[in-house]
Amino acid sequence: QVQLVESGGGLVQPGGSLRLSCAASGSLFSINIVGWYRQAPGNQRDLVASITSGGSTNYADSVKGRFTISRDNAKNTVYLQMNSLKPEDTAVYYCHWNQALSGRWWGYWGQGTQVTVSS
């Protein structure tokens, strides 16, 4: 089992910044892909950004150039730095930890953290 603790959400004005953290603990495997997803009321949960255990990153078009995903493997923590925030970035942000062992993948979700962008 993997436990995920997310933090860093809050209320911020348009143009502001926030940094989300996703700290993992438990039975962690070296091969993993960690993603940040977000879900606004009435919408589906969409991928915002992901990072592999090797450091390769992927971003949704809507956040390219504004958000940066990174990781600290020593701390088993993945970060999402969000700059130039817009009201449309308002959502609950979830961390998803997907890891593999012997060709089999297991996925775990965090509890979510609210991000509200409003003046």
Side-chain angles (χ1 to χ4, degrees), residues 32-34 50-59 69 71:
N32 58 73
I33 302 173
V34 183
S50 64
I51 186 167
T52 69
S53 45
S56 297
T57 59
N58 181 56
Y59 295 93
I69 190 169
R71 63 190 301 159

PDB file of all heavy atoms in Angstrom, residues 32-34 50-59 69 71:
ATOM      1  N   ASN A  32       7.930   4.376 -11.406  1.00  0.00           N
ATOM      2  CA  ASN A  32       6.637   5.006 -11.142  1.00  0.00           C
ATOM      3  C   ASN A  32       6.418   6.197 -12.042  1.00  0.00           C
ATOM      4  O   ASN A  32       7.366   6.765 -12.610  1.00  0.00           O
ATOM      5  CB  ASN A  32       6.520   5.410  -9.669  1.00  0.00           C
ATOM      6  CG  ASN A  32       7.615   6.357  -9.240  1.00  0.00           C
ATOM      7  OD1 ASN A  32       7.631   7.527  -9.606  1.00  0.00           O
ATOM      8  ND2 ASN A  32       8.541   5.862  -8.429  1.00  0.00           N
ATOM      9  N   ILE A  33       5.166   6.536 -12.189  1.00  0.00           N
ATOM     10  CA  ILE A  33       4.743   7.754 -12.871  1.00  0.00           C
ATOM     11  C   ILE A  33       3.774   8.447 -11.929  1.00  0.00           C
ATOM     12  O   ILE A  33       2.797   7.838 -11.485  1.00  0.00           O
ATOM     13  CB  ILE A  33       4.034   7.448 -14.205  1.00  0.00           C
ATOM     14  CG1 ILE A  33       4.955   6.648 -15.132  1.00  0.00           C
ATOM     15  CG2 ILE A  33       3.609   8.751 -14.883  1.00  0.00           C
ATOM     16  CD1 ILE A  33       4.254   6.169 -16.398  1.00  0.00           C
ATOM     17  N   VAL A  34       4.053   9.703 -11.633  1.00  0.00           N
ATOM     18  CA  VAL A  34       3.210  10.456 -10.713  1.00  0.00           C
ATOM     19  C   VAL A  34       2.547  11.585 -11.475  1.00  0.00           C
ATOM     20  O   VAL A  34       3.206  12.325 -12.211  1.00  0.00           O
ATOM     21  CB  VAL A  34       4.025  11.009  -9.539  1.00  0.00           C
ATOM     22  CG1 VAL A  34       3.115  11.729  -8.555  1.00  0.00           C
ATOM     23  CG2 VAL A  34       4.774   9.873  -8.842  1.00  0.00           C
ATOM     24  N   SER A  50       2.455  15.258 -15.430  1.00  0.00           N
ATOM     25  CA  SER A  50       2.969  13.999 -14.904  1.00  0.00           C
ATOM     26  C   SER A  50       4.482  13.989 -15.011  1.00  0.00           C
ATOM     27  O   SER A  50       5.075  14.712 -15.821  1.00  0.00           O
ATOM     28  CB  SER A  50       2.371  12.803 -15.642  1.00  0.00           C
ATOM     29  OG  SER A  50       2.752  12.808 -17.004  1.00  0.00           O
ATOM     30  N   ILE A  51       5.087  13.131 -14.182  1.00  0.00           N
ATOM     31  CA  ILE A  51       6.535  12.985 -14.184  1.00  0.00           C
ATOM     32  C   ILE A  51       6.872  11.524 -13.915  1.00  0.00           C
ATOM     33  O   ILE A  51       6.272  10.893 -13.043  1.00  0.00           O
ATOM     34  CB  ILE A  51       7.196  13.926 -13.149  1.00  0.00           C
ATOM     35  CG1 ILE A  51       8.716  13.880 -13.273  1.00  0.00           C
ATOM     36  CG2 ILE A  51       6.732  13.608 -11.731  1.00  0.00           C
ATOM     37  CD1 ILE A  51       9.407  15.021 -12.505  1.00  0.00           C
ATOM     38  N   THR A  52       7.809  11.000 -14.689  1.00  0.00           N
ATOM     39  CA  THR A  52       8.219   9.615 -14.500  1.00  0.00           C
ATOM     40  C   THR A  52       9.336   9.537 -13.467  1.00  0.00           C
ATOM     41  O   THR A  52       9.922  10.555 -13.065  1.00  0.00           O
ATOM     42  CB  THR A  52       8.719   9.018 -15.814  1.00  0.00           C
ATOM     43  OG1 THR A  52       9.974   9.644 -16.163  1.00  0.00           O
ATOM     44  CG2 THR A  52       7.719   9.220 -16.941  1.00  0.00           C
ATOM     45  N   SER A  53       9.650   8.319 -13.044  1.00  0.00           N
ATOM     46  CA  SER A  53      10.732   8.129 -12.102  1.00  0.00           C
ATOM     47  C   SER A  53      12.070   8.548 -12.709  1.00  0.00           C
ATOM     48  O   SER A  53      13.002   8.881 -11.979  1.00  0.00           O
ATOM     49  CB  SER A  53      10.796   6.669 -11.651  1.00  0.00           C
ATOM     50  OG  SER A  53      10.663   5.780 -12.737  1.00  0.00           O
ATOM     51  N   GLY A  54      12.129   8.579 -14.062  1.00  0.00           N
ATOM     52  CA  GLY A  54      13.341   9.036 -14.737  1.00  0.00           C
ATOM     53  C   GLY A  54      13.399  10.533 -14.944  1.00  0.00           C
ATOM     54  O   GLY A  54      14.407  11.057 -15.419  1.00  0.00           O
ATOM     55  N   GLY A  55      12.299  11.222 -14.611  1.00  0.00           N
ATOM     56  CA  GLY A  55      12.289  12.673 -14.699  1.00  0.00           C
ATOM     57  C   GLY A  55      11.628  13.246 -15.948  1.00  0.00           C
ATOM     58  O   GLY A  55      11.590  14.466 -16.112  1.00  0.00           O
ATOM     59  N   SER A  56      11.097  12.396 -16.818  1.00  0.00           N
ATOM     60  CA  SER A  56      10.393  12.905 -18.001  1.00  0.00           C
ATOM     61  C   SER A  56       9.057  13.498 -17.582  1.00  0.00           C
ATOM     62  O   SER A  56       8.352  12.933 -16.753  1.00  0.00           O
ATOM     63  CB  SER A  56      10.178  11.786 -19.007  1.00  0.00           C
ATOM     64  OG  SER A  56      11.410  11.296 -19.472  1.00  0.00           O
ATOM     65  N   THR A  57       8.714  14.627 -18.190  1.00  0.00           N
ATOM     66  CA  THR A  57       7.500  15.343 -17.804  1.00  0.00           C
ATOM     67  C   THR A  57       6.536  15.486 -18.976  1.00  0.00           C
ATOM     68  O   THR A  57       6.928  15.436 -20.148  1.00  0.00           O
ATOM     69  CB  THR A  57       7.836  16.732 -17.257  1.00  0.00           C
ATOM     70  OG1 THR A  57       8.532  17.481 -18.265  1.00  0.00           O
ATOM     71  CG2 THR A  57       8.699  16.645 -16.012  1.00  0.00           C
ATOM     72  N   ASN A  58       5.285  15.703 -18.620  1.00  0.00           N
ATOM     73  CA  ASN A  58       4.229  15.895 -19.609  1.00  0.00           C
ATOM     74  C   ASN A  58       3.230  16.877 -19.016  1.00  0.00           C
ATOM     75  O   ASN A  58       2.940  16.823 -17.811  1.00  0.00           O
ATOM     76  CB  ASN A  58       3.548  14.556 -19.920  1.00  0.00           C
ATOM     77  CG  ASN A  58       2.470  14.702 -20.960  1.00  0.00           C
ATOM     78  OD1 ASN A  58       2.716  15.183 -22.056  1.00  0.00           O
ATOM     79  ND2 ASN A  58       1.254  14.304 -20.611  1.00  0.00           N
ATOM     80  N   TYR A  59       2.708  17.785 -19.857  1.00  0.00           N
ATOM     81  CA  TYR A  59       1.788  18.810 -19.376  1.00  0.00           C
ATOM     82  C   TYR A  59       0.562  18.904 -20.274  1.00  0.00           C
ATOM     83  O   TYR A  59       0.649  18.736 -21.490  1.00  0.00           O
ATOM     84  CB  TYR A  59       2.478  20.183 -19.362  1.00  0.00           C
ATOM     85  CG  TYR A  59       3.632  20.294 -18.400  1.00  0.00           C
ATOM     86  CD1 TYR A  59       4.930  20.031 -18.834  1.00  0.00           C
ATOM     87  CD2 TYR A  59       3.430  20.646 -17.072  1.00  0.00           C
ATOM     88  CE1 TYR A  59       6.000  20.112 -17.960  1.00  0.00           C
ATOM     89  CE2 TYR A  59       4.490  20.735 -16.191  1.00  0.00           C
ATOM     90  CZ  TYR A  59       5.774  20.472 -16.641  1.00  0.00           C
ATOM     91  OH  TYR A  59       6.828  20.555 -15.773  1.00  0.00           O
ATOM     92  N   ILE A  69       6.138  20.602 -12.945  1.00  0.00           N
ATOM     93  CA  ILE A  69       6.135  19.428 -12.058  1.00  0.00           C
ATOM     94  C   ILE A  69       7.576  19.016 -11.813  1.00  0.00           C
ATOM     95  O   ILE A  69       8.414  19.059 -12.727  1.00  0.00           O
ATOM     96  CB  ILE A  69       5.292  18.279 -12.656  1.00  0.00           C
ATOM     97  CG1 ILE A  69       5.088  17.178 -11.616  1.00  0.00           C
ATOM     98  CG2 ILE A  69       5.906  17.745 -13.934  1.00  0.00           C
ATOM     99  CD1 ILE A  69       4.052  16.128 -12.049  1.00  0.00           C
ATOM    100  N   ARG A  71      10.250  16.560  -8.813  1.00  0.00           N
ATOM    101  CA  ARG A  71      10.228  15.554  -7.752  1.00  0.00           C
ATOM    102  C   ARG A  71      11.531  15.551  -6.975  1.00  0.00           C
ATOM    103  O   ARG A  71      12.593  15.892  -7.526  1.00  0.00           O
ATOM    104  CB  ARG A  71       9.938  14.167  -8.339  1.00  0.00           C
ATOM    105  CG  ARG A  71      10.963  13.629  -9.302  1.00  0.00           C
ATOM    106  CD  ARG A  71      10.436  12.356  -9.997  1.00  0.00           C
ATOM    107  NE  ARG A  71      10.119  11.322  -9.024  1.00  0.00           N
ATOM    108  CZ  ARG A  71       9.290  10.303  -9.258  1.00  0.00           C
ATOM    109  NH1 ARG A  71       8.681  10.191 -10.427  1.00  0.00           N
ATOM    110  NH2 ARG A  71       9.061   9.392  -8.321  1.00  0.00           N
TER     111      ARG A  71
END
